[in-house]
Amino acid sequence: MSLGDDHESSGGYAGTGQTRTRLPDPGDAFGDPRRRTSSRSLVTVVGVVVLLIAAIAFANRGGGDTESSGLGGDNAGSSPTAPTGQRPVKSKTGDIATGYAHTEQGAQSAATNYGIALGSADMYNLEKRHAIVNTVYAPDIAAAQLPEFDQVYSKESFLEKLGLTKDGAAPGGQTFVSRVIPVGTKVTSYKGSTASVALWYTSLFGLSGEASKNPVTESWYTTTYQLKWADGDWKVTDFTQKDGPVPVGRDQRASTAEDMSKAVEEYGGFTYAR
């Protein structure tokens, strides 16, 4: 989410907007399935299937041994967001993954997971907010940022505008949704002890429930995090945020409040690593 309308520099997240996705109809690829298939068409389809099988086999060759497969390291020609062989972090501080590698990949993973935490509903609870800020920010920066975060997130007029209680909780019968879903990252600067990582993501924000006046909406942002290597891990020192890139919306029917609340409760988030 983004709180840019009220305090762009404070580190909040939310927003509005929708994106739509439509899977192609089976008939789009091979024509009307009810249509009689000629021998030439059958040969063509079989050829396509054989090529797909060959492509899958090629992509998965050597997959039995992760470390010796072709996925490890910085492969020449790989895209900026291609997965690599670097193992994900396994340590945590609270619910936040920590203990990243002192590499560009580690900085990207840190920025992604920290962005998820800073964009979560937990930021609206005083105790959880302090735990998040103290975990993701460099110690000296966290001490200076906490009062600023508290001023913004604890402001009753702001919480009331969102439809939340003074403790940042949703009213009875509603579910508060504030979730960041990363799309990709890009290292814009890396100097060993410092890094700048741009995180492109979509954000879900709002109250899900029959009586909600702020239904869950979707927005797109890019946040660039400034990181430094401190106490054996990557830590945030600053960030900037801008809108987009925003894809064109499609014609999907919005889910009911009940379905949205159920989905948020049933589907957990991920720990990201490259």
Side-chain angles (χ1 to χ4, degrees):
M1 88 179 244
S2 170
L3 305 179
D5 293 341
D6 296 319
H7 50 90
E8 183 174 351
S9 64
S10 63
Y13 294 76
T16 59
Q18 294 181 332
T19 184
R20 309 299 187 193
T21 302
R22 175 182 175 273
L23 294 176
D25 187 89
D28 293 345
F30 300 107
D32 191 334
R34 296 170 298 179
R35 195 176 291 171
R36 183 177 179 180
T37 304
S38 67
S39 59
R40 177 177 295 181
S41 297
L42 180 60
V43 171
T44 301
V45 172
V46 171
V48 171
V49 172
V50 171
L51 288 174
L52 286 174
I53 293 174
I56 293 172
F58 178 81
N60 290 330
R61 67 179 182 179
D65 185 355
T66 302
E67 292 184 356
S68 62
S69 71
L71 296 178
D74 296 328
N75 297 328
S78 62
S79 63
T81 54
T84 69
Q86 185 165 307
R87 296 184 181 279
V89 295
K90 294 184 178 180
S91 58
K92 286 188 174 183
T93 301
D95 293 328
I96 305 173
T98 53
Y100 299 95
H102 193 176
T103 62
E104 289 190 23
Q105 292 179 27
Q108 290 178 75
S109 295
T112 303
N113 289 313
Y114 292 166
I116 292 171
L118 290 168
S120 70
D122 287 344
M123 286 293 289
Y124 293 80
N125 175 276
L126 178 65
E127 183 177 344
K128 294 178 179 179
R129 177 170 63 250
H130 281 210
I132 292 173
V133 174
N134 284 324
T135 298
V136 307
Y137 273 86
D140 56 329
I141 305 297
Q145 286 290 328
L146 272 175
E148 193 171 329
F149 275 108
D150 288 342
Q151 183 179 3
V152 173
Y153 283 90
S154 299
K155 192 175 181 181
E156 288 193 19
S157 60
F158 168 67
L159 295 174
E160 289 175 1
K161 183 179 179 180
L162 296 177
L164 303 175
T165 67
K166 64 179 181 179
D167 297 322
Q174 298 185 40
T175 301
F176 178 40
V177 183
S178 182
R179 185 177 293 191
V180 164
I181 305 97
V183 177
T185 58
K186 178 177 68 174
V187 175
T188 58
S189 175
Y190 185 80
K191 297 180 180 179
S193 61
T194 62
S196 177
V197 179
L199 171 66
W200 179 35
Y201 61 93
T202 181
S203 172
L204 301 179
F205 185 81
L207 284 170
S208 181
E210 295 298 336
S212 173
K213 296 181 180 179
N214 295 300
V216 179
T217 56
E218 182 182 35
S219 302
W220 292 81
Y221 299 97
T222 297
T223 297
T224 300
Y225 290 97
Q226 304 302 322
L227 306 170
K228 76 173 181 179
W229 188 255
D231 298 332
D233 207 354
W234 289 109
K235 298 293 182 180
V236 177
T237 59
D238 198 6
F239 72 86
T240 57
Q241 179 182 288
K242 65 179 182 180
D243 289 349
V246 182
V248 176
R250 298 297 296 271
D251 298 327
Q252 274 187 305
R253 178 180 298 176
S255 298
T256 64
E258 180 181 359
D259 287 342
M260 182 61 69
S261 297
K262 186 178 180 181
V264 170
E265 292 169 359
E266 291 181 348
Y267 292 86
F270 294 96
T271 297
Y272 289 80
R274 288 174 47 77

